[in-house]
Amino acid sequence: MNLPNKLTFSRVLLAIPFIFFLERANSGSEVYRYIAFALFVIASLTDWLDGYLARKYNLITDFGKLMDPLADKILVISAMVIFVSLGWLPSWMSIVVIAREFLISGIRTLAAAQGEVIPAGNLGKYKTTTQMIVIIVMLLFGPL
């Protein structure tokens, strides 16, 4: 497994402590929210770094094409679901985003069944970056 793929996998692993600390964000201690913030920023940076390294050193793999967007989805959807449970985000907003993610994943699965891997396009990368920025702002400043 090359370095970009390890970074992608680390993003999935970072989701676990991120979820743990974010769930405790309304406990009365700001520390949990800031730890969740730090973990999310680190995970978001691995998203940028794995793509940069894969392109720069021509380390693009089918695993990376499939797992990179899935790792992003795990991280972003985890944040949104917990934001809803904390009362920071209306449920309809997360449902719209999650439904879109399932739709795109379904299309990718159908393509994979036909032997074709669909990598993330620029619009998808901009969408993920925007989602990550909004989550970072919410972690810093609180609910919408």
Side-chain angles (χ1 to χ4, degrees):
M1 183 178 287
N2 64 34
L3 181 57
N5 290 343
K6 288 178 183 176
L7 289 169
T8 295
F9 189 68
S10 75
R11 193 158 57 259
V12 174
L13 295 179
L14 281 169
I16 297 166
F18 168 71
I19 291 164
F20 175 84
F21 287 106
L22 184 56
E23 283 184 325
R24 286 145 186 84
N26 275 355
S27 69
S29 174
E30 294 289 307
V31 172
Y32 294 118
R33 184 164 51 101
Y34 292 126
I35 293 170
F37 165 80
L39 290 167
F40 191 85
V41 168
I42 292 166
S44 296
L45 290 174
T46 68
D47 184 33
W48 172 82
L49 185 59
D50 69 29
Y52 171 79
L53 292 173
R55 286 185 296 277
K56 181 173 181 174
Y57 297 106
N58 196 26
L59 297 172
I60 297 169
T61 64
D62 285 344
F63 175 86
K65 288 178 192 176
L66 289 171
M67 283 305 298
D68 183 68
L70 288 176
D72 297 341
K73 286 173 182 36
I74 290 168
L75 194 61
V76 168
I77 289 172
S78 296
M80 294 185 80
V81 167
I82 296 169
F83 285 169
V84 169
S85 74
L86 294 173
W88 292 12
L89 186 71
S91 58
W92 70 266
M93 285 185 184
S94 65
I95 291 168
V96 168
V97 172
I98 293 167
R100 183 241 179 233
E101 299 299 349
F102 273 112
L103 180 64
I104 297 301
S105 293
I107 291 169
R108 286 177 191 228
T109 301
L110 288 173
Q114 301 294 325
E116 187 174 338
V117 175
I118 302 174
N122 284 336
L123 286 177
K125 291 176 186 179
Y126 297 144
K127 181 260 323 167
T128 300
T129 301
T130 302
Q131 288 174 333
M132 288 180 172
I133 290 169
V134 168
I135 291 167
I136 287 168
V137 168
M138 287 182 70
L139 288 167
L140 272 179
F141 302 110
L144 293 175

